[in-house]
Amino acid sequence: MEIRISGGLDDQLFPFGCTLKDGRAIFCTASDCEKLYLRLYRSGRFYKKIEFPAEYRMGDVWRMAMEGIPADGSFSYTYEIDGHEAADIYGQFTEGRETFGKRAHGGRPVRTVIRESSGTVGKSLQGSRAHFIPYEDCIIYRLHVRGFTRDKSSGLSEELRGTFAGAAEMIPYIRELGANVIELMPAYEYNELERQRAGAQRINYWGFTQDAMRFAPKEAFGGEKGFRKLLEDLHGAGMELVLGMYFAGNEPEDQVLSVIRNWRLRYGIDGVHIVGYAPMKLLLNDPYLKGMKLWADSIDPSDLRRESSEGPYAKKEEKALSDSCAAAYNDSFQNDIRRFIKGDEGMVRRAMELYKDIPGAYARINYTANVSGFSLWDVFSYDRKHNEANGEHGTDGTDFNYSWNCGEEGPSRKKRINELRMRLCRNAMLLTILSLGTPLINAGDEMCHTRKGNNNSWCMDSALEWINWDDLKKHEDMVTFTRRLLDLRRSHPVFRRHEAFKQADYRVTGLPDISFHGESAWKVDLENFRRQLGICLNGDYAKRPDGSPDDSFYIAINMHWESHELSLPKLPGGKSWRQLADTSLTVPFADEAEAEPLSALSVKLAPRSIAILIGK
């Protein structure tokens, strides 16, 4: 076997990484160094070191074409930069990190495998707008690939647990629950052994690391083949996949763009959630990413305008991205809704604003609990964080949890406390799912998963983060309640509105499009001590697929620790209010067809409960 350098690169541009073309392996990378070497490995053993020719350097970009390297995966490589060995951050396929939490090659840099891709993006997945699920129709289910099925309770074999294939096995459960968009926490080749604290190695379980090869699906999760199969199975089920990515802000913007383009063009993913640094203007103006979901933790509205440019094809005026696929994580929803549910003073007005706050140029993703912070169950089980296991003496994690332990810190054997916690969890799930935004459920919250009060479990590769699938049966009532809520949202377009409310009956139907009420109909009680609110959604302002009007709904909320009765607005056309759900009941939901009309034009609410009324 003869491996040698070949020429012909003078006037050609190649993507960074290793490109296989016409029987050659073309290596391209950027580095401000004096000398650069390619270190070749064959079947895991060092094979040869080859210096990049200076004549093929352009600025800080080094290029070299090699002949004689088979593309069968038997060869891998790293770079040697001024005497230091380094991984190719643009590498597509890796070796040495097949086991989560185990160092590659005794701690040496991870190697990039030289081989052909195992597949291509099918025509049906190449950025077609037809496959874009509108934000108002999306239900997001956020999960960590490893933690989702790593626990033995998943019932999967050892080789499937904690992998892309394991997550694919659970697609029927997620689909039956009612979610249609899966967000994966970082699933590219991140270095989970990046950080050390107090002289001890810590697992970076979440994957928000700077030392990452963001072009390569994580080998410990199943690599390229596993990721392709998961994506194929999700698309086959009519679902979308959004990949979480972390950027610290010290990466060049064109590198961020290259990473996201790679996943879109090579795999056909449906979106990305950028944690940390997010150059949204650049991404939203990129033609390759049009029709792809782009999420960030916050969005500057000025980024949602197309850049004007010169030339014959330029549009002389800046144009708003009315078809923007951007969405922002709505952290204020989480904090305000927690405070409202636990009964803080002065939250009624804020709850009204949250509910009628329809996004314009970008969507808002609503949640009551997420990856960072307390799990949903812990929001109502702990007054303070319990991060002792993190080894940072409680200095890590937010101190602003807006939580309440319901009378006892942590696990309780008291029936009264556990029933109250379950009621508050139902309240949170209801207000999140029926919010006028895009709801997100963090995996396991529908099963009352607990992290035992840890609100920053980034380093916990353990039962604290792994889903316990035994909870699926233990908390079957909560799972069923969540599923019924998602069915209700999906069945009634009145909950999936994407236009701003006018709080007026501009079509003369008998009720405003949305109206707010207190203990008396048409009068909201806004004193600081008030904790009651009625929200009426007029179904005449929402059309079913056949063009007929939807039903009207009234959400009656009592977050006070005493019972209250709310008077109801009268429905036009001889219709009557019927009670569909009550979070204070052991069986909260009734069937729509069996819901009986109320005997009076009012609804009685138990302490800290929410009722859903339907007008028929």
Side-chain angles (χ1 to χ4, degrees):
M1 178 188 299
E2 181 183 2
I3 295 177
R4 61 185 180 86
I5 299 175
S6 65
L9 299 180
D10 293 331
D11 58 352
Q12 298 185 57
L13 295 176
F14 294 96
F16 289 134
C18 179
T19 302
L20 301 175
K21 185 177 181 181
D22 300 328
R24 300 189 299 173
I26 302 164
F27 301 89
C28 183
T29 192
S31 180
D32 178 14
C33 61
E34 295 299 321
K35 286 190 176 184
L36 181 69
Y37 293 89
L38 177 73
R39 294 179 61 90
L40 279 176
Y41 295 83
R42 184 181 184 185
S43 301
R45 294 175 177 268
F46 176 73
Y47 180 76
K48 195 174 186 179
K49 184 169 80 169
I50 305 161
E51 185 176 359
F52 276 72
E55 61 264 32
Y56 292 135
R57 180 178 182 178
M58 181 181 296
D60 279 341
V61 176
W62 300 76
R63 299 168 296 158
M64 180 169 62
M66 302 292 298
E67 293 183 353
I69 300 178
D72 59 1
S74 59
F75 276 80
S76 58
Y77 72 93
T78 58
Y79 293 129
E80 186 177 306
I81 304 171
D82 288 342
H84 299 283
E85 190 173 10
D88 180 4
I89 64 170
Y90 295 94
Q92 298 281 352
F93 318 109
T94 63
E95 67 174 9
R97 286 185 179 165
E98 291 82 6
T99 303
F100 191 86
K102 183 179 180 181
R103 286 191 175 277
H105 316 298
R108 299 178 71 87
V110 66
R111 300 168 190 162
T112 298
V113 178
I114 303 171
R115 67 171 176 84
E116 298 279 4
S117 174
S118 66
T120 57
V121 178
K123 291 182 178 179
S124 64
L125 306 179
Q126 290 180 352
S128 170
R129 183 73 179 187
H131 295 274
F132 183 91
I133 301 176
Y135 277 114
E136 61 268 23
D137 295 334
C138 290
I139 302 292
I140 303 165
Y141 193 80
R142 191 182 191 190
L143 61 90
H144 188 288
V145 173
R146 179 169 171 84
F148 193 49
T149 60
R150 186 68 193 103
D151 195 85
K152 288 189 296 183
S153 60
S154 67
L156 301 179
S157 62
E158 176 66 29
E159 68 225 19
L160 290 181
R161 284 162 42 199
T163 66
F164 295 125
E169 290 289 319
M170 300 303 183
I171 290 176
Y173 164 76
I174 301 171
R175 198 71 185 95
E176 184 182 357
L177 184 68
N180 55 11
V181 178
I182 302 302
E183 181 190 343
L184 300 184
M185 291 182 67
Y188 45 78
E189 196 57 78
Y190 65 86
N191 182 6
E192 64 269 20
L193 295 172
E194 176 196 37
R195 299 176 69 177
Q196 289 195 6
R197 293 290 173 90
Q201 186 69 59
R202 307 302 303 278
I203 292 287
N204 193 324
Y205 173 81
W206 285 352
F208 300 140
T209 74
Q210 296 186 50
D211 180 8
M213 298 175 67
R214 297 183 181 89
F215 289 80
K218 192 162 181 59
E219 283 298 316
F221 295 168
E224 182 210 18
K225 290 184 179 179
F227 182 81
R228 285 190 185 278
K229 182 62 165 59
L230 172 60
L231 184 61
E232 178 185 333
D233 289 351
L234 286 170
H235 284 163
M239 302 170 71
E240 292 184 340
L241 185 146
V242 172
L243 181 61
M245 296 182 178
Y246 172 76
F247 294 97
N250 54 5
E251 305 87 356
E253 284 192 349
D254 64 333
Q255 185 184 113
V256 177
L257 180 61
S258 295
V259 168
I260 296 171
R261 277 183 173 179
N262 171 77
W263 287 89
R264 180 59 163 170
L265 298 174
R266 181 178 291 269
Y267 296 102
I269 65 173
D270 304 287
V272 292
H273 171 203
I274 304 175
V275 179
Y277 169 67
M280 292 298 286
K281 181 181 280 290
L282 176 69
L283 302 178
L284 288 166
N285 279 280
D286 186 72
Y288 282 108
L289 305 183
K290 187 174 176 62
M292 178 181 177
K293 288 182 167 67
L294 295 167
W295 303 348
D297 291 337
S298 62
I299 291 179
D300 184 341
S302 66
D303 289 342
L304 301 173
R305 302 191 67 83
R306 292 197 187 281
E307 295 177 347
S308 57
S309 58
E310 301 298 328
Y313 305 107
K315 295 182 179 179
K316 300 305 180 184
E317 301 288 335
E318 282 197 347
K319 179 183 177 184
L321 291 170
S322 58
D323 60 343
S324 172
C325 298
Y329 263 46
N330 193 359
D331 217 40
S332 64
F333 180 93
Q334 170 188 273
N335 296 337
D336 288 339
I337 217 69
R338 286 183 182 185
R339 294 183 62 198
F340 182 50
I341 292 171
K342 74 187 185 77
D344 283 2
E345 287 191 346
M347 294 305 298
V348 171
R349 188 184 299 276
R350 184 59 187 141
M352 292 169 58
E353 293 171 356
L354 285 173
Y355 209 87
K356 68 182 180 182
D357 188 15
I358 300 294
Y362 64 93
R364 292 185 179 91
I365 297 172
N366 296 336
Y367 45 88
T368 308
N370 213 319
V371 170
S372 59
F374 283 151
S375 70
L376 182 60
W377 181 259
D378 289 356
V379 170
F380 306 112
S381 300
Y382 294 89
D383 273 354
R384 60 188 185 278
K385 64 186 180 184
H386 294 266
N387 297 359
E388 294 80 10
N390 295 359
E392 299 183 41
H393 309 291
T395 60
D396 65 313
T398 182
D399 292 319
F400 299 96
N401 296 293
Y402 306 109
S403 60
W404 177 43
N405 66 17
C406 295
E408 184 176 351
E409 190 75 357
S412 176
R413 300 178 65 179
K414 297 177 181 177
K415 182 179 179 182
R416 172 183 57 83
I417 287 178
N418 286 322
E419 286 180 347
L420 176 57
R421 288 174 176 173
M422 185 61 70
R423 183 181 304 185
L424 297 182
C425 283
R426 290 191 193 118
N427 292 342
M429 195 67 80
L430 186 154
L431 292 175
T432 301
I433 291 175
L434 299 187
S435 66
L436 297 180
T438 300
L440 179 149
I441 299 171
N442 199 47
D445 277 349
E446 77 282 9
M447 309 179 206
C448 303
H449 176 74
T450 177
R451 300 188 197 114
K452 301 187 185 303
N454 192 318
N455 74 350
N456 187 35
S457 52
W458 65 273
C459 55
M460 291 293 133
D461 181 30
S462 66
L464 236 61
E465 279 282 350
W466 299 351
I467 302 301
N468 184 345
W469 289 88
D470 290 339
D471 287 339
L472 187 61
K473 184 174 182 180
K474 180 180 178 181
H475 296 294
E476 184 179 3
D477 290 348
M478 184 63 179
V479 176
T480 300
F481 180 72
T482 304
R483 186 182 299 123
R484 291 293 303 270
L485 283 171
L486 293 175
D487 286 344
L488 186 68
R489 180 184 174 93
R490 186 170 52 250
S491 302
H492 292 280
V494 73
F495 295 115
R496 306 195 309 276
R497 186 183 175 102
H498 61 276
E499 301 163 340
F501 284 112
K502 298 181 180 179
Q503 287 187 258
D505 187 14
Y506 51 92
R507 294 178 186 166
V508 195
T509 65
L511 285 173
D513 52 0
I514 187 173
S515 54
F516 297 96
H517 309 264
E519 291 194 332
S520 299
W522 306 106
K523 181 180 179 297
V524 183
D525 304 308
L526 293 176
E527 297 94 339
N528 274 358
F529 63 87
R530 298 288 187 174
R531 295 170 174 84
Q532 300 80 43
L533 178 65
I535 305 171
C536 183
L537 300 171
N538 185 353
D540 286 325
Y541 287 88
K543 301 298 181 184
R544 293 186 171 99
D546 63 3
S548 63
D550 196 7
D551 297 311
S552 294
F553 284 86
Y554 186 97
I555 302 174
I557 306 169
N558 175 29
M559 296 296 99
H560 197 213
W561 44 88
E562 297 178 358
S563 299
H564 287 269
E565 185 170 355
L566 274 62
S567 297
L568 303 172
K570 187 176 181 180
L571 287 166
K575 295 181 179 179
S576 59
W577 291 112
R578 301 158 188 254
Q579 186 158 308
L580 189 60
D582 185 340
T583 60
S584 70
L585 301 178
T586 305
V587 181
F589 262 97
D591 292 331
E592 284 190 31
E594 298 176 0
E596 295 289 335
L598 297 178
S599 58
L601 202 59
S602 63
V603 58
K604 295 181 180 179
L605 295 172
R608 304 187 187 277
S609 67
I610 303 176
I612 303 174
L613 310 178
I614 185 171
K616 286 185 174 291

